[in-house]
Structure formats: structure tokens, C-alpha cells
Amino acid sequence: MRCLAVFLSCLLGCVPLAAQEAPLGLSAPQSVSDTGLLRYILPRFSLKTGIRLAEDSAGAIRLTETTPGTPVFERDGTVYYLSIPDDPRAQRFSDWLVSDIGRRTVDAFEIDGAKVFSSTIRIVEEETGPRFEGDVERGAQASLMLCGRCHVIGPQNAKNSIGSTPSFAVLRTLPDWDTKFQIFYVLAPHPAFTQVIDVTDPFDPARPSPIVPVEMTVDDLEAILAYVATVPAADLGAPLQYQ
């Protein structure tokens, strides 16, 4: 009986490993795969977040040389774009890759002592950006108070944010920055701790916010949008023209 108990204990102990969530696949052009960049950055992302990603030619996360997608790095004038599925793990990887830590990881990759890829990209918008009617001054204050504990809003909190989250200036380089800001409260990880009065549902009592909740009104959100529209996009390098 004792042997049977030990066997069952070992068997049950193996279940979590077998039941682990399968890694999310990431496909990339041969020009990226052959360099070994993904073998360099994916383990570092997994170590930081616990999310497993694996290089896979049929992966749902796609790194391409053409739009649509978020520009993430370049090599010899070729810009690479990241497209992701509707999956919180993929969104986490996208956020990490454009964050200061993710960019430094890409920049640190070398072959025979030579830098291969650069996260330095300048996005040139051909059309005037969106305009919002909110109170810019109120938006600046709300951004610092509500968003500043995670994101760098500007010089006023440059040393008091979470390094793995992109700054407002970096987020402003994204082609769809305005959409992301308008619906940020439904994008991971924000739903777990964000409440927009009369917009989001109250937290499930069985699953309370893991941190002090971020609570705002629709007017606060509109003011933040108006403020972010005034934030200069980060200068990430050489000009990129969209066709």
C-alpha cells in the first residue's frame, strides 16, 4: 500500500507539468530566424513574465517585413512589424517588445561582436493625428495620478514607473495609439484593476483587483486622450515612410 501511495503521489505531482499551457507560436521571416535573434529574446521574455513563446512557422504571432503591425525593430533599412492575435499572452509580448527593456534586449543581440538589429525607428505620420475635445490640463494631471505608477508620462515621473511598461512617448509611435488608448481598459492587464464609471462592470467579489484599483470617469478618459495627443512621439531613429 505504501508503494502504491508513493506511485500515486508521483503521478499526481506530474499532472501540472503535463497540463502546462502550450507555448504560443511566433513566425518570422528567414532573415530574422537565421540570425538567432528569437532564440536570444524569447527565453528572456519568458524568464521575465513566465509566458512561454516558441518559434513556429505557423505561429499566431507574426513578425513580418510589411504592414499591418507594430514596427518593432529594423536591420539594414528593413523594418519588421509585429502582428498579434487576440490573446493576452501575445499582447504582453507586444507590450514588452516595445518597452524600454524589450528594446534594450533587441539592441544587445550581437553576432561576432557586431550589433545586428536596432530598435531605433522613427515613425513619420503623413496625416494629422486625431483630435480630442477633453481638457488637456486635467488630462495631464489624471495621466500622472492614474497611469504614472506604471508608465512614464514624462520627465515628471521618469524614475517612478515600471521599467517593463512602455512610456507614453513610445506608445505615441504606434500607428493605432489612439485606438489603444481609447480601449485601454479592455486590454490586458488593465481589466483586472481598472474601473471606468458607467462603462465597465464592477469587479467580481470573488476576484477583486490585485492592486489598488484605477478608477476614472469618462471625462477623465477623454481628458487623458486630449493630453496624450499633445505628447511628442519618441524619436526612435531614421524616418519611415508609409505608402
Side-chain angles (χ1 to χ4, degrees):
M1 289 295 292
R2 183 176 180 181
C3 292
L4 179 60
V6 171
F7 172 75
L8 290 175
S9 177
C10 293
L11 182 62
L12 291 173
C14 294
V15 170
L17 292 176
Q20 279 186 347
E21 195 170 28
L24 196 60
L26 187 156
S27 65
Q30 205 69 35
S31 57
V32 173
S33 297
D34 288 348
T35 65
L37 174 69
L38 298 183
R39 293 191 295 273
Y40 179 82
I41 67 173
L42 294 187
R44 286 163 171 76
F45 167 73
S46 297
L47 184 63
K48 180 74 175 178
T49 64
I51 298 172
R52 299 170 61 212
L53 268 65
E55 190 171 354
D56 181 350
S57 60
I61 301 177
R62 300 178 63 248
L63 193 64
T64 64
E65 298 177 3
T66 58
T67 55
T70 300
V72 287
F73 50 77
E74 66 90 23
R75 181 189 185 190
D76 298 333
T78 298
V79 177
Y80 294 90
Y81 301 84
L82 187 73
S83 298
I84 62 173
D86 184 14
D87 186 307
R89 296 172 297 166
Q91 183 63 56
R92 184 77 179 276
F93 176 66
S94 178
D95 291 343
W96 176 84
L97 195 55
V98 299
S99 73
D100 292 338
I101 289 178
R103 294 179 58 215
R104 287 199 299 267
T105 303
V106 170
D107 291 338
F109 175 68
E110 296 182 347
I111 295 179
D112 296 330
K115 183 176 176 179
V116 182
F117 294 91
S118 174
S119 67
T120 303
I121 306 169
R122 178 183 298 153
I123 304 301
V124 178
E125 298 182 358
E126 295 184 348
E127 298 182 359
T128 303
R131 295 179 179 273
F132 298 98
E133 300 301 323
D135 184 326
V136 173
E137 183 175 349
R138 174 179 175 178
Q141 297 172 351
S143 294
L144 184 60
M145 180 176 67
L146 300 174
C147 312
R149 58 181 171 178
C150 294
H151 298 271
V152 170
I153 306 305
Q156 60 269 45
N157 77 320
K159 296 183 179 180
N160 298 320
S161 64
I162 297 176
S164 60
T165 59
S167 66
F168 272 25
V170 168
L171 289 171
R172 279 286 280 107
T173 68
L174 303 179
D176 60 345
W177 71 266
D178 53 316
T179 299
K180 288 185 181 296
F181 271 90
Q182 289 180 72
I183 64 170
F184 86 94
Y185 52 87
V186 301
L187 301 177
H190 301 97
F193 54 80
T194 303
Q195 293 271 273
V196 181
I197 298 173
D198 296 329
V199 175
T200 58
D201 294 327
F203 294 127
D204 183 342
R207 301 181 64 184
S209 174
I211 61 175
V212 176
V214 172
E215 299 178 340
M216 67 175 63
T217 65
V218 172
D219 287 343
D220 288 330
L221 180 54
E222 291 179 349
I224 290 172
L225 287 167
Y227 167 69
V228 177
T230 70
V231 174
D235 184 354
L236 303 182
L240 173 65
Q241 295 291 337
Y242 286 103
Q243 300 298 322

